[in-house]
Amino acid sequence: VQILLKLWRNGFSLDDGELRSYSDPTNAQFLESVKRGEIPVELQRLVHGGQVSLDMEDHQEQEYVKPRLRFKAFSGEGQKLGSLTPEIVSTPSSPEEEEKSILNTPILIDDSMPATKIQIRLADGSRLIQRFNQTHRIKDIRDFIIQSRPAFATTDFVLVTTFPNKELTDESLTLQEADILNTVILQQLK
């Protein structure tokens, strides 16, 4: 952790923090530790035993002026609200892993016909990616899911498009007729 200690005429500050008075006993103890070349207890707690790089700037001819706050973009973690399926538990982190998720199941692709890739987000949080011909039917996607994950053979589920959400009820439609070429399909349990 890199920390900047600024010494002012009327106190000191850490990074762009508040002014700390020299007369406060806690602050005096902090500065004594720094003068002895030790890491103050406050900073040891801050870094949990990690390394601290303490730089100093001398501004003792100047009065402390509170710095303007700089805009800091949100760095927290977001959560989806109203998601139709659970968040993906594992996603391929490399092209090799993505290729592994394109399973070698008995989906026969006619290379002379136009093809498409469909990503299927399963209800268990995993995903499958498979090439289909544009003439394959929605029923072929259902069969592919059951062949890939036999546990879903006895489970009642529907296939849904992403935004705008539309349930794919007519499984006799081709992928082209259903307008789901190169899209993501969600599996929802009933």
Side-chain angles (χ1 to χ4, degrees), residues 160-173:
V160 180
T161 62
T162 54
F163 189 79
N165 295 14
K166 181 179 81 175
E167 188 174 326
L168 300 171
T169 52
D170 186 355
E171 294 191 354
S172 65
L173 291 176

Side-chain angles (χ1 to χ4, degrees), residues 43-180:
L43 297 182
Q44 288 176 2
R45 279 191 226 121
L46 178 73
V47 298
H48 306 293
Q51 293 225 324
V52 175
S53 174
L54 185 65
D55 294 326
M56 294 177 65
E57 285 183 4
D58 186 8
H59 298 276
Q60 291 182 344
E61 285 79 44
Q62 304 170 12
E63 290 287 323
Y64 171 80
V65 177
K66 187 172 183 173
R68 289 174 134 184
L69 292 177
R70 283 182 267 150
F71 175 75
K72 184 178 179 186
F74 176 72
S75 60
E77 188 175 302
Q79 300 294 325
K80 291 181 187 177
L81 298 176
S83 178
L84 292 174
T85 59
E87 192 171 316
I88 294 175
V89 175
S90 64
T91 58
S93 57
S94 68
E96 294 81 26
E97 283 187 41
E98 186 169 319
E99 287 303 314
K100 284 182 196 171
S101 69
I102 299 176
L103 301 173
N104 296 324
T105 55
I107 297 292
L108 300 174
I109 306 293
D110 183 351
D111 290 326
S112 67
M113 303 279 292
T116 184
K117 262 189 193 176
I118 302 286
Q119 182 184 132
I120 306 155
R121 292 189 184 167
L122 301 176
D124 65 3
S126 63
R127 73 176 182 171
L128 301 171
I129 301 171
Q130 180 61 42
R131 275 186 65 218
F132 293 92
N133 284 117
Q134 294 179 7
T135 55
H136 275 105
R137 308 219 173 259
I138 294 173
K139 176 154 181 34
D140 295 322
I141 295 176
R142 175 180 289 279
D143 295 341
F144 169 73
I145 292 171
I146 292 169
Q147 289 169 3
S148 302
R149 300 285 198 280
F152 289 122
T154 58
T155 308
D156 197 15
F157 65 88
V158 293
L159 300 175
V160 180
T161 62
T162 54
F163 189 79
N165 295 14
K166 181 179 81 175
E167 188 174 326
L168 300 171
T169 52
D170 186 355
E171 294 191 354
S172 65
L173 291 176
T174 67
L175 304 184
Q176 188 169 20
E177 292 169 341
D179 195 24
I180 57 170

Side-chain angles (χ1 to χ4, degrees), residues 30-40 44 54 56:
F30 183 95
L31 287 176
E32 278 302 313
S33 296
V34 172
K35 286 178 187 174
R36 288 192 305 266
E38 299 171 357
I39 298 192
Q44 288 176 2
L54 185 65
M56 294 177 65

